[in-house]
Amino acid sequence: MLGAEKQHLGALDLGMRTLAWLGIASLCLGAAWAVPAKEERRKAEKPKTDLVLYENLDLDNYDLTLDNYGEILDLNNYEELYDYGDLAPKIEVGTLAPRPKDPAALPNLGPTAETPKLQPPTTTGPIHPAPVPGQGLPSCLLCLCISTSVYCDDVDLEHIPPLPPETTYLYARFNRIGMIRASDFTGLKNLKRIDLTSNFISWADADAFRLLPSLQELILPENRLTALPELPGSIVRLDARLNRIPSTGLRPEAFRDLKQLQFLHLSDNQLDYIPVPLPENLRSLHLQNNNIQTMHENTFCNSQDHSQIRRVLEDIRLDGNPINLSLFPNAYFCLPRLPTGCFF
């Protein structure tokens, strides 16, 4: 009886072990099969995802040019995304080629000229001191000469340097030029423009500009002038703003004979009246910020000729002066527009 019971228990234990091993084996097999299946599903889904991305691009009209480059790439932080330090060119210092051992391999350069021997200085004549830099040098050594234009801006000039005879345009701004001499521009028949803005000019000889037959533009703002020299008949533009010119610093009827004058700018000076008579071709008159207090009826128009019309004189600036323009209503009838200034 006991022997049969032991055999029965042993059979049960063996069956349970067998089932356990079968269960473990099935789990292992299931995991092994699941990995390839998951990989297959991922590979199957990836083309679908890529297809969706490409569907959003208009490949038919996709043209990357400089016009749409900023629309496709965000250039706001483009420099922050890349470190260009490692892209700097590396310079390698080379060495000379080794000298050949066989002298016959050297190239034949032919006979060489002898080095001239320096002669000792002689003391028979006087020794002249070296010239001081910047004194008497032609302008093309001190300044920049391009074609017929001479640029001498901000080079600490104290006077006008000698200019090439073909000079057409001179720019000598932001220097320390104190005066203009009659000899500074002698013989410069082609000179059309002189710009001496922001110097220390307090005086100009009476004939400094009068004999320049081609001069059209004389630009002298931000200086210390107290008088204007005589001007040539070819002048078109005179700009002498921000100086110290009083009315007594202008010759009587200084602008009457300047038939070509179109732009007369004398603002920020010390003028007491409008310089009359004004040339007929004048287009722009700037006299703001002076001390003008009155005017005549004939200042701009001929009071005896009410049919007169000055069509070109469209820009008159009298603001910043202690004058009430409404007190002179008959002075503007020939003008295309009223002057700028105080009317009350």
Side-chain angles (χ1 to χ4, degrees), residues 196-220:
L196 300 173
T197 299
S198 191
N199 277 276
F200 299 155
I201 302 171
S202 59
W203 176 257
D205 288 348
D207 292 335
F209 308 109
R210 182 177 64 87
L211 301 178
L212 297 175
S214 302
L215 186 62
Q216 297 179 0
E217 297 180 78
L218 180 58
I219 307 173
L220 301 168

Short mmCIF file of all heavy atoms in Angstrom, two decimals, residues 196-220:
data_model
loop_
_atom_site.label_atom_id
_atom_site.label_comp_id
_atom_site.label_asym_id
_atom_site.label_seq_id
_atom_site.Cartn_x
_atom_site.Cartn_y
_atom_site.Cartn_z
N LEU A 196 35.48 123.61 -48.04
CA LEU A 196 36.35 123.85 -46.88
C LEU A 196 35.55 123.83 -45.59
O LEU A 196 35.80 124.60 -44.66
CB LEU A 196 37.07 125.20 -47.04
CG LEU A 196 37.96 125.33 -48.28
CD1 LEU A 196 38.48 126.76 -48.43
CD2 LEU A 196 39.13 124.36 -48.20
N THR A 197 34.59 122.93 -45.51
CA THR A 197 33.72 122.83 -44.33
C THR A 197 34.54 122.57 -43.07
O THR A 197 35.47 121.76 -43.06
CB THR A 197 32.72 121.68 -44.54
OG1 THR A 197 31.92 121.96 -45.69
CG2 THR A 197 31.82 121.50 -43.33
N SER A 198 34.16 123.23 -42.01
CA SER A 198 34.68 122.98 -40.66
C SER A 198 36.20 123.13 -40.59
O SER A 198 36.93 122.19 -40.33
CB SER A 198 34.26 121.57 -40.19
OG SER A 198 34.53 121.40 -38.82
N ASN A 199 36.63 124.39 -40.83
CA ASN A 199 38.02 124.77 -40.60
C ASN A 199 38.04 125.94 -39.62
O ASN A 199 37.04 126.20 -38.93
CB ASN A 199 38.69 125.13 -41.93
CG ASN A 199 39.20 123.91 -42.68
OD1 ASN A 199 40.30 123.41 -42.43
ND2 ASN A 199 38.40 123.41 -43.61
N PHE A 200 39.15 126.66 -39.59
CA PHE A 200 39.27 127.83 -38.71
C PHE A 200 39.40 129.11 -39.53
O PHE A 200 40.00 130.08 -39.08
CB PHE A 200 40.50 127.70 -37.79
CG PHE A 200 40.46 126.51 -36.88
CD1 PHE A 200 41.64 125.95 -36.40
CD2 PHE A 200 39.26 125.94 -36.49
CE1 PHE A 200 41.62 124.85 -35.55
CE2 PHE A 200 39.23 124.85 -35.65
CZ PHE A 200 40.40 124.30 -35.18
N ILE A 201 38.83 129.13 -40.72
CA ILE A 201 39.04 130.24 -41.65
C ILE A 201 38.36 131.50 -41.12
O ILE A 201 37.15 131.54 -40.93
CB ILE A 201 38.47 129.89 -43.04
CG1 ILE A 201 39.15 128.62 -43.58
CG2 ILE A 201 38.68 131.05 -44.00
CD1 ILE A 201 38.51 128.08 -44.84
N SER A 202 39.18 132.52 -40.90
CA SER A 202 38.67 133.81 -40.43
C SER A 202 38.87 134.91 -41.46
O SER A 202 38.33 136.01 -41.29
CB SER A 202 39.35 134.20 -39.11
OG SER A 202 40.76 134.30 -39.29
N TRP A 203 39.65 134.61 -42.51
CA TRP A 203 39.92 135.64 -43.51
C TRP A 203 40.16 134.98 -44.87
O TRP A 203 40.76 133.92 -44.96
CB TRP A 203 41.15 136.46 -43.12
CG TRP A 203 41.54 137.48 -44.15
CD1 TRP A 203 42.56 137.40 -45.04
CD2 TRP A 203 40.89 138.72 -44.41
NE1 TRP A 203 42.60 138.51 -45.85
CE2 TRP A 203 41.57 139.36 -45.47
CE3 TRP A 203 39.78 139.37 -43.84
CZ2 TRP A 203 41.20 140.58 -45.97
CZ3 TRP A 203 39.41 140.59 -44.34
CH2 TRP A 203 40.11 141.20 -45.39
N ALA A 204 39.68 135.65 -45.91
CA ALA A 204 39.94 135.24 -47.29
C ALA A 204 40.26 136.49 -48.08
O ALA A 204 39.55 137.50 -48.01
CB ALA A 204 38.73 134.53 -47.89
N ASP A 205 41.36 136.44 -48.83
CA ASP A 205 41.74 137.59 -49.65
C ASP A 205 40.63 137.94 -50.62
O ASP A 205 39.85 137.08 -51.06
CB ASP A 205 43.02 137.29 -50.42
CG ASP A 205 44.24 137.26 -49.52
OD1 ASP A 205 44.13 137.69 -48.35
OD2 ASP A 205 45.31 136.79 -49.97
N ALA A 206 40.53 139.20 -50.98
CA ALA A 206 39.44 139.69 -51.83
C ALA A 206 39.41 138.97 -53.17
O ALA A 206 38.33 138.74 -53.74
CB ALA A 206 39.57 141.19 -52.03
N ASP A 207 40.58 138.60 -53.69
CA ASP A 207 40.65 137.95 -55.01
C ASP A 207 40.90 136.45 -54.90
O ASP A 207 41.35 135.82 -55.86
CB ASP A 207 41.77 138.58 -55.85
CG ASP A 207 41.45 140.01 -56.24
OD1 ASP A 207 40.25 140.35 -56.30
OD2 ASP A 207 42.39 140.79 -56.49
N ALA A 208 40.60 135.85 -53.76
CA ALA A 208 40.89 134.43 -53.57
C ALA A 208 40.08 133.56 -54.54
O ALA A 208 40.57 132.51 -54.97
CB ALA A 208 40.59 134.03 -52.13
N PHE A 209 38.86 133.99 -54.89
CA PHE A 209 37.99 133.17 -55.74
C PHE A 209 37.58 133.88 -57.02
O PHE A 209 37.10 133.23 -57.95
CB PHE A 209 36.73 132.77 -54.98
CG PHE A 209 36.99 132.13 -53.64
CD1 PHE A 209 36.70 132.81 -52.47
CD2 PHE A 209 37.55 130.86 -53.55
CE1 PHE A 209 36.95 132.23 -51.24
CE2 PHE A 209 37.80 130.27 -52.32
CZ PHE A 209 37.50 130.97 -51.16
N ARG A 210 37.73 135.17 -57.09
CA ARG A 210 37.15 135.96 -58.19
C ARG A 210 37.71 135.56 -59.54
O ARG A 210 37.00 135.63 -60.56
CB ARG A 210 37.42 137.44 -57.93
CG ARG A 210 36.83 138.38 -58.98
CD ARG A 210 37.08 139.82 -58.59
NE ARG A 210 38.52 140.13 -58.58
CZ ARG A 210 39.21 140.53 -59.64
NH1 ARG A 210 38.58 140.65 -60.82
NH2 ARG A 210 40.49 140.81 -59.55
N LEU A 211 38.95 135.10 -59.60
CA LEU A 211 39.59 134.82 -60.88
C LEU A 211 39.50 133.36 -61.29
O LEU A 211 40.23 132.92 -62.18
CB LEU A 211 41.06 135.25 -60.82
CG LEU A 211 41.29 136.74 -60.52
CD1 LEU A 211 42.78 137.05 -60.43
CD2 LEU A 211 40.62 137.61 -61.58
N LEU A 212 38.62 132.60 -60.66
CA LEU A 212 38.42 131.19 -61.01
C LEU A 212 37.26 131.10 -61.99
O LEU A 212 36.09 131.17 -61.60
CB LEU A 212 38.14 130.36 -59.76
CG LEU A 212 39.27 130.32 -58.72
CD1 LEU A 212 38.84 129.56 -57.48
CD2 LEU A 212 40.53 129.70 -59.32
N PRO A 213 37.52 130.93 -63.29
CA PRO A 213 36.46 131.06 -64.29
C PRO A 213 35.45 129.92 -64.29
O PRO A 213 34.35 130.08 -64.82
CB PRO A 213 37.24 131.09 -65.62
CG PRO A 213 38.50 130.33 -65.33
CD PRO A 213 38.84 130.63 -63.91
N SER A 214 35.80 128.76 -63.71
CA SER A 214 34.90 127.60 -63.76
C SER A 214 34.24 127.30 -62.41
O SER A 214 33.48 126.34 -62.31
CB SER A 214 35.67 126.35 -64.23
OG SER A 214 36.24 126.55 -65.50
N LEU A 215 34.53 128.09 -61.38
CA LEU A 215 34.04 127.78 -60.04
C LEU A 215 32.51 127.87 -59.99
O LEU A 215 31.93 128.91 -60.31
CB LEU A 215 34.65 128.74 -59.02
CG LEU A 215 34.33 128.42 -57.56
CD1 LEU A 215 34.89 127.06 -57.16
CD2 LEU A 215 34.86 129.52 -56.64
N GLN A 216 31.87 126.78 -59.58
CA GLN A 216 30.42 126.71 -59.48
C GLN A 216 29.93 126.56 -58.05
O GLN A 216 28.85 127.03 -57.71
CB GLN A 216 29.89 125.55 -60.32
CG GLN A 216 30.17 125.68 -61.81
CD GLN A 216 29.64 124.51 -62.60
OE1 GLN A 216 29.06 123.57 -62.05
NE2 GLN A 216 29.83 124.53 -63.91
N GLU A 217 30.71 125.87 -57.21
CA GLU A 217 30.27 125.62 -55.83
C GLU A 217 31.37 126.03 -54.86
O GLU A 217 32.50 125.53 -54.93
CB GLU A 217 29.95 124.14 -55.63
CG GLU A 217 28.79 123.65 -56.48
CD GLU A 217 28.50 122.18 -56.24
OE1 GLU A 217 27.88 121.85 -55.21
OE2 GLU A 217 28.93 121.36 -57.07
N LEU A 218 31.02 126.93 -53.95
CA LEU A 218 31.93 127.36 -52.89
C LEU A 218 31.25 127.03 -51.56
O LEU A 218 30.23 127.63 -51.20
CB LEU A 218 32.22 128.85 -53.01
CG LEU A 218 33.17 129.44 -51.96
CD1 LEU A 218 34.51 128.73 -51.97
CD2 LEU A 218 33.34 130.94 -52.16
N ILE A 219 31.83 126.09 -50.83
CA ILE A 219 31.21 125.55 -49.62
C ILE A 219 32.11 125.88 -48.43
O ILE A 219 33.21 125.33 -48.31
CB ILE A 219 30.99 124.04 -49.76
CG1 ILE A 219 30.21 123.75 -51.06
CG2 ILE A 219 30.24 123.48 -48.55
CD1 ILE A 219 30.09 122.28 -51.39
N LEU A 220 31.63 126.78 -47.55
CA LEU A 220 32.46 127.30 -46.46
C LEU A 220 31.76 127.26 -45.10
O LEU A 220 32.05 128.11 -44.24
CB LEU A 220 32.85 128.76 -46.76
CG LEU A 220 33.63 129.02 -48.05
CD1 LEU A 220 33.68 130.52 -48.34
CD2 LEU A 220 35.03 128.45 -47.95
#
